[in-house]
Amino acid sequence: MTTRIPFIGGNWKMNGDLATLSDLTRNINTTLDAKSKTEVVVFPSFVYLPAIKKLLGNNTIALGAQNFCQHEQGAYTGEIAASMLKDIGCAHVLVGHSERRQLYGETDQVVAEKCVLALKHDLKPVLCVGETLAQRQSDDAESTVLAQLDAVLDQINMDDLQHLVIAYEPVWAIGTGQTASAEQAQAMHQCLRQHLRNKDNHLGEMIRIIYGGSVKPANAAAIFAMPDIDGGLIGGASLNADDFVAIVNAV
Ligand code: PEP
């Protein structure tokens, strides 16, 4: 059986300023066990990426961006290219976060294009998928999430797919304080993994599927104990160093 390395991401969203995010980084750096076997990545806003990178140094914590443009380069005023993120030391990128899908109209097609571009530039995509409350209530949660995944799987070759991390983030649980129960999350993770296995057994065993949606130190251990949950994408709680490190330690 494949042992998947746990993955915890801190999505800082559009929060903080240089002083508070620098403090947060220093505090995470000093509190996190250097021997931790978990892959830890922080996702600050674009403008703070170089400063946070400097503070992280060669520490085990990696740097990621929250978004980028689906085009390679050129006349796209205000956008940021995948190659630029690679250039300044990012290793990961969030793709298709529900806030991007809902507030900025990112379609499955755009999300798939971004995943392809990220991989081309040696950035590891954290692909976010998840259903709304209405979709869950009308029994469409699985079909929604699998369609979001398929849009990406269809565009990426097998060798590249192993670099993908999938974040299952039910939209109704993000920033609401309403977490999916560990059993609800496990059921969707199992469904996603089975879907990957049906494509390629080895792929299904090795791709990390992490959970996001109001994870806190108090509920993290129960969620991460589930067999198909390989870590978490943490929003609100990642803005507090003690909470974030407690969540990392709960894996
Ligand atoms: C997120 O935005 O990815 C997230 C999981 O947020 P929160 O932990 O605040 O629900």
Side-chain angles (χ1 to χ4, degrees), residues 38-165:
T38 299
E39 192 171 349
V40 180
V41 184
V42 292
F43 296 86
S45 298
F46 289 127
V47 291
Y48 299 128
L49 286 168
I52 302 299
K53 173 76 187 157
K54 207 166 166 186
L55 288 170
L56 290 174
N58 292 326
N59 197 296
T60 45
I61 303 169
L63 188 71
Q66 298 171 17
N67 184 36
F68 61 101
C69 183
Q70 71 267 36
H71 304 292
E72 285 267 3
Q73 60 168 28
Y76 300 100
T77 302
E79 290 290 338
I80 309 259
S83 58
M84 295 173 181
L85 297 177
K86 188 68 195 172
D87 194 26
I88 58 157
C90 285
H92 302 263
V93 275
L94 298 182
V95 185
H97 189 280
S98 64
E99 286 152 18
R100 301 289 325 162
R101 292 179 190 261
Q102 293 206 312
L103 304 174
Y104 299 96
E106 279 192 16
T107 60
D108 284 349
Q109 173 64 27
V110 168
V111 170
E113 286 170 19
K114 288 189 178 189
C115 284
V116 170
L117 203 51
L119 288 162
K120 180 176 173 192
H121 290 281
D122 197 21
L123 291 164
K124 297 191 177 79
V126 178
L127 167 67
C128 304
V129 296
E131 81 286 359
T132 62
L133 188 57
Q135 286 163 334
R136 176 160 282 263
Q137 285 168 343
S138 60
D139 223 8
D140 290 326
E142 282 189 7
S143 59
T144 302
V145 168
L146 291 179
Q148 290 171 342
L149 177 60
D150 276 339
V152 171
L153 294 185
D154 288 350
Q155 302 296 323
I156 298 178
N157 65 46
M158 282 293 170
D159 284 348
D160 282 344
L161 275 176
Q162 59 182 305
H163 301 299
L164 198 68
V165 172

Side-chain angles (χ1 to χ4, degrees), residues 11 13 97 99 169 173-176 212-216 233-237:
N11 177 11
K13 308 195 185 189
H97 189 280
E99 286 152 18
E169 300 205 296
I174 295 181
T176 59
S214 298
V215 176
K216 305 271 181 296
L233 184 57
I234 319 301

